[in-house]
Amino acid sequence: MLTIDGMAIKASLTFNAKSDSFFGFPSDGISRKIERNKTTRLATEAVVALVQGVAPLEAYRWTDPEQNDAPKKVNRRPKRFKQAVGYILGHHTVGSEVQKKFVSNLARALRLRGLYPVGLVLDQCSTNIKMVKESGATADHPVGRFGNSDLAIFYDNPHLLKNTKSMLMKYNAVLNGKVASFSHVVKLYELDCNTIPRLVPRLSEKCVYPAPFRAMNVAQAVRTMSGSTADGIEYHVDEGNLPLSALHTAQILRFFDQIFDTFNSKDGGNSVKVIFDME
């Protein structure tokens, strides 16, 4: 599984006397004899790629495939692995075209080493969304073409969860014709905050009324979009404190909670939850 993520970096320019080269300019990872760089255009963003095994990997001592050396098995227990494999630098943004080429080259390099990427995990920034569209992936067929590799697209669950919560605070959500409203969560907190013991103790005031720049906090999103919040709503509907329409909100909250738990699981056994049918 390939994962890419971007981060802001401080613009600076340094000279390495040993390699006789400057560092700090935007780079797509391809070495060129003539670099057309400008000191007024330095790298301010880095996109880092990481590869992670989704199943235990047999222990091999990997050799150079260009020398036609077969991998040799060693006496080690099979285990999952996680390894950073590369990065590119951009000025404000690397661009969807450069990033797509970066992913394609990584997928090709991994295949040459006997590793076969099956998916790409990324967040929902504008560059990533544009790259996914350019790869041919759609909502009905979320598989993109990157070079000679077909990669299933996965938006990472922490960003997905906090973005969903942020949108739900502004707009009603509709899933399979069922409407969810954040007002039901607010009403639940108002009913629950003064009771002892509390039904939903982890649903705090910060979750319902976040401070500026805290609306995208992952911990608060997890506590809000949780099964315990859904249970609390269902209880107060049974007690007549919330309308029947609040059950739709509870179902959607539980749906996203189970998605989060499924993608956060470490193995394919009993820890993976079956997402219930929303229809």
Side-chain angles (χ1 to χ4, degrees):
M1 188 73 73
L2 268 173
T3 301
I4 61 172
D5 194 15
M7 64 188 74
I9 59 176
K10 184 178 180 180
S12 63
L13 186 63
T14 59
F15 177 74
N16 188 306
K18 185 175 181 179
S19 62
D20 191 28
S21 56
F22 287 93
F23 293 92
F25 293 112
S27 172
D28 58 2
I30 300 176
S31 178
R32 297 179 176 86
K33 291 184 178 180
I34 300 178
E35 297 282 355
R36 301 183 182 277
N37 295 314
K38 298 180 180 179
T39 56
T40 57
R41 191 172 183 272
L42 301 178
T44 58
E45 183 192 39
V47 176
V48 183
L50 176 143
V51 62
Q52 181 176 5
V54 295
L57 180 68
E58 292 292 338
Y60 286 92
R61 182 185 296 112
W62 297 98
T63 54
D64 191 349
E66 295 181 357
Q67 298 180 3
N68 297 322
D69 292 334
K72 301 176 182 179
K73 192 170 183 179
V74 296
N75 294 324
R76 296 178 186 171
R77 292 182 59 188
K79 62 179 181 179
R80 291 183 176 88
F81 66 96
K82 184 186 298 182
Q83 177 66 48
V85 291
Y87 67 91
I88 53 177
L89 304 174
H91 181 68
H92 297 312
T93 178
V94 298
S96 60
E97 184 177 349
V98 173
Q99 190 167 278
K100 183 172 181 289
K101 189 174 182 180
F102 174 58
V103 174
S104 300
N105 290 338
L106 283 175
R108 177 179 176 274
L110 290 172
R111 291 175 68 90
L112 288 176
R113 290 291 178 178
L115 301 175
Y116 298 90
V118 296
L120 177 65
V121 181
L122 66 171
D123 61 28
Q124 297 92 37
C125 73
S126 57
T127 301
N128 289 343
I129 292 176
K130 184 178 180 181
M131 180 188 69
V132 168
K133 291 181 178 178
E134 292 174 350
S135 70
T138 62
D140 296 329
H141 185 68
V143 177
R145 186 72 173 175
F146 296 87
N148 295 325
S149 300
D150 291 325
L151 302 180
I153 305 299
F154 296 93
Y155 290 119
D156 67 291
N157 53 336
H159 280 89
L160 184 63
L161 197 67
K162 65 184 183 181
N163 287 344
T164 302
K165 185 215 171 186
S166 181
M167 293 294 291
L168 187 60
M169 292 179 66
K170 295 181 180 180
Y171 312 101
N172 290 341
V174 180
L175 182 61
N176 294 336
K178 298 180 179 181
V179 180
S181 174
F182 195 76
S183 62
H184 298 143
V185 179
V186 175
K187 182 62 175 178
L188 169 65
Y189 171 75
E190 293 174 349
L191 291 169
D192 189 61
C193 65
N194 295 321
T195 60
I196 300 176
R198 292 190 58 187
L199 285 175
V200 195
R202 302 194 69 184
L203 185 65
S204 64
E205 183 180 1
K206 294 180 180 179
C207 297
V208 180
Y209 304 107
F213 306 106
R214 298 293 294 176
M216 297 299 285
N217 182 277
V218 177
Q220 293 179 11
V222 172
R223 293 172 182 175
T224 305
M225 311 283 289
S226 66
S228 59
T229 303
D231 292 338
I233 290 176
E234 291 173 351
Y235 171 81
H236 282 289
V237 170
D238 291 339
E239 292 295 313
N241 299 323
L242 288 174
L244 287 175
S245 59
L247 291 176
H248 300 161
T249 302
Q251 288 182 333
I252 291 180
L253 292 179
R254 198 182 305 280
F255 175 77
F256 280 100
D257 172 67
Q258 292 181 341
I259 288 179
F260 183 84
D261 289 344
T262 298
F263 280 94
N264 206 36
S265 61
K266 293 185 178 180
D267 58 69
N270 296 328
S271 62
V272 178
K273 295 183 178 180
V274 178
I275 299 176
F276 67 90
D277 189 1
M278 289 292 296
E279 296 181 357

